[in-house]
């Protein structure tokens, strides 16, 4: 029933994803196998856990290439209790299915090759010569699955472990409660077992935001001087490297058009995703490359030909306003100085936001 219903419900969305209008071909993740679980990640905590071994935490923080992607930790007590529970209730279908599913998901989370106590190999093909190949190396060669990030399969491990643990605790409670004078044990022993299993998972603290999502007041207040319907070039240049301007444009209710962005776009007849080593998943251009370097604190040499090319590109884009938020760059003063070299003195400077008028009206 589940299989038949899945085919009926998912057939059209799956077709739309794989072959619908504007669909993407080929890999989206440039090196998906870089983010794969470590064999020791199951029992060795990283710095996000309250209980961790200081001498091991540096190693553990590199599991799955970063703590943000490492979700494989369960803790030794929970793994041992699940093993004992599986042996005890090996005839219980729910326990067997969920435990075996958790084990299978963990193997898939290890990626195409086994990694132990180290960074995953960055070769996109999964297992390199001499590595211990795993089933993911075969799945990686199938359409669509080439984009699967192995480490995130660990989320399914947590789901299956939660179901198996709940069934085992319920079974333990029922078995003890059925015994004479077993009510106290039925109330206490499952609670002790659950606390023992979950205590190592105590987090070190609340997760902070990935980036500062504060929008400069200029974009949301009456100070905004960008004429509606015109084109504004925003600095830092919007891309996968600096995605914040995408939020600023949204907070301004899309009153202006903006070159750049953080998005996946099919390129050319093959429909492959655009990728720039400097800008991540986005279209490349002279403006994008130069302004990204400026925001990172390494501007290119100031040559007249570069200035002329930038101005010509902005004129072709019909950029009427240039808005710079320099505090989001590595060198705010240097960023403003570079833009002043290209455009001259800012027309206004309000609330830390510098604005230039280029006099290029939109087409039509």
């Amino acid at each position: 029933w589940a299989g038949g219903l899945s085919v009926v419900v998912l057939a059209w969305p799956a077709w739309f994803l794989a072959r619908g209008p504007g669909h993407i071909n080929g890999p989206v993740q440039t090196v998906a196998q870089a983010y794969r679980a470590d064999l020791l990640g199951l029992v060795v905590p990283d710095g996000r856990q309250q209980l961790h071994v200081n001498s091991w935490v540096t190693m553990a923080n590199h599991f799955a290439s970063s703590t943000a992607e490492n979700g494989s930790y369960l803790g030794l007590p929970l793994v041992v209790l699940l093993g004992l529970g599986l042996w005890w209730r090996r005839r219980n279908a729910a326990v067997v299915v969920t435990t075996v599913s958790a084990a299978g998901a963990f193997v898939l989370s290890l990626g195409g090759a086994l990694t132990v106590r180290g960074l995953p190999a960055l070769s996109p093909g999964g297992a390199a010569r001499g590595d211990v190949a795993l089933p993911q190396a075969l799945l990686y060669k199938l359409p669509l699955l080439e984009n699967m990030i192995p480490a995130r399969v660990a989320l399914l491990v947590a789901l299956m472990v939660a179901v198996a643990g709940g069934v085992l605790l319920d079974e333990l409670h029922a078995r003890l409660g059925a015994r004479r004078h077993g009510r106290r044990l039925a109330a206490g022993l499952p609670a002790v077992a659950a606390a023992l299993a979950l205590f190592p998972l105590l987090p070190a603290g609340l997760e902070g935001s990935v980036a500062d999502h504060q929008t400069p007041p200029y974009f949301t207040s009456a100070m905004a001087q960008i004429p509606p319907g015109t084109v504004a070039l925003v600095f830092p240049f919007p891309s996968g490297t600096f995605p914040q301007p995408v939020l600023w444009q949204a907070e301004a209710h899309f009153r202006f058009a903006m070159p750049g962005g953080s998005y996946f776009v099919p390129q050319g007849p093959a429909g492959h995703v655009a990728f720039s080593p400097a800008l991540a998943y986005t279209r490349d251009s002279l403006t994008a490359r130069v302004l990204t370097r400026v925001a990172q604190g390494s501007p290119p040499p100031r040559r007249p030909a570069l200035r002329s090319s930038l101005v010509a590109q902005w004129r072709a884009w019909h950029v009427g306003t240039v808005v710079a938020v320099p505090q989001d760059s590595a060198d705010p003063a240097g960023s403003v100085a570079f833009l002043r070299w290209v455009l001259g003195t800012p027309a206004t400077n309000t609330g830390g936001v510098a604005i230039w008028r280029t006099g290029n009206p939109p087409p039509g």
Side-chain angles (χ1 to χ4, degrees):
W1 280 102
L5 183 61
S6 297
V7 170
V8 172
V9 173
L10 298 178
W12 186 83
W15 171 86
F16 189 89
L17 172 68
R19 291 291 181 267
H23 69 274
I24 294 173
N25 293 322
V28 173
Q29 300 291 339
T30 53
V31 192
Q33 289 286 322
Y35 305 100
R36 63 191 195 216
D38 192 287
L39 183 63
L40 296 181
L42 198 65
V43 294
V44 177
D46 59 25
R48 296 185 304 170
Q49 308 303 139
Q50 185 69 43
L51 301 178
H52 59 261
V53 181
N54 290 332
S55 58
W56 293 356
V57 72
T58 300
M59 172 190 69
N61 283 344
H62 290 295
F63 291 164
S65 292
S66 71
T67 56
E69 293 289 351
N70 181 27
S72 59
Y73 178 67
L74 294 180
L76 187 59
L78 180 54
V79 173
V80 171
L81 287 175
L82 282 173
L84 294 175
L86 177 62
W87 175 81
W88 173 51
R89 298 306 300 156
R90 55 189 176 274
R91 297 185 183 278
N92 185 306
V95 172
V96 172
V97 169
T98 51
T99 305
V100 171
S101 297
F106 178 69
V107 171
L108 290 179
S109 74
L110 294 173
L114 186 62
T115 301
V116 183
R117 299 185 63 185
L119 287 172
L122 299 183
S123 57
R129 180 176 298 178
D131 290 344
V132 178
L134 296 174
Q136 248 273 346
L138 299 177
L139 295 179
Y140 186 78
K141 298 178 181 179
L142 298 177
L144 298 182
L145 295 183
E146 62 190 353
N147 291 310
M148 183 170 66
I149 295 179
R152 298 180 184 178
V153 183
L155 295 173
L156 300 179
V157 178
L159 173 62
M160 294 297 104
V161 166
V163 175
V167 172
L168 287 170
L169 291 175
D170 185 66
E171 187 77 9
L172 180 60
H173 179 271
R175 288 296 186 94
L176 293 175
R179 294 183 177 182
R180 188 177 182 181
H181 307 300
R183 291 185 177 180
R184 291 184 178 180
L185 280 177
L189 191 57
V192 171
L196 179 63
L198 298 179
F199 186 69
L201 298 178
L202 185 67
L206 297 177
E207 292 287 342
S209 61
V210 175
D212 184 3
H213 296 304
Q214 293 183 353
T215 299
Y218 172 83
F219 292 97
T220 57
S221 68
M223 295 187 302
Q225 302 170 16
I226 305 175
T230 61
V231 178
L233 177 65
V234 179
F235 175 85
F237 188 82
S239 67
T241 305
F242 293 97
Q244 296 91 332
V246 177
L247 174 64
W248 305 341
Q249 185 190 33
E251 293 285 356
H253 303 290
F254 296 97
R255 61 185 295 169
F256 58 89
M258 179 180 69
S262 181
Y263 42 65
F264 298 102
V265 176
Q267 302 289 299
H272 290 158
V273 172
F275 178 77
S276 165
L279 308 175
Y281 300 101
T282 187
R283 293 179 184 270
D284 207 346
S285 66
L286 175 66
T287 298
R289 292 192 303 271
V290 169
L291 293 190
T292 298
R293 287 187 57 182
V294 172
Q296 291 174 335
S298 57
R302 301 182 186 181
R303 296 190 174 96
L306 175 62
R307 181 183 181 276
S308 299
S309 298
L310 288 173
V311 172
Q313 189 166 71
W314 299 351
R315 186 177 296 113
W317 288 348
H318 301 280
V319 173
T321 309
V322 176
V323 181
V325 185
Q327 61 265 28
D328 276 38
S329 64
D331 180 11
S335 299
V336 173
F338 184 89
L339 291 172
R340 186 181 292 117
W341 169 72
V342 177
L343 296 166
T345 304
T348 56
N349 198 324
T350 307
V353 177
I355 302 99
W356 286 266
R357 304 292 177 198
T358 65
N360 295 324

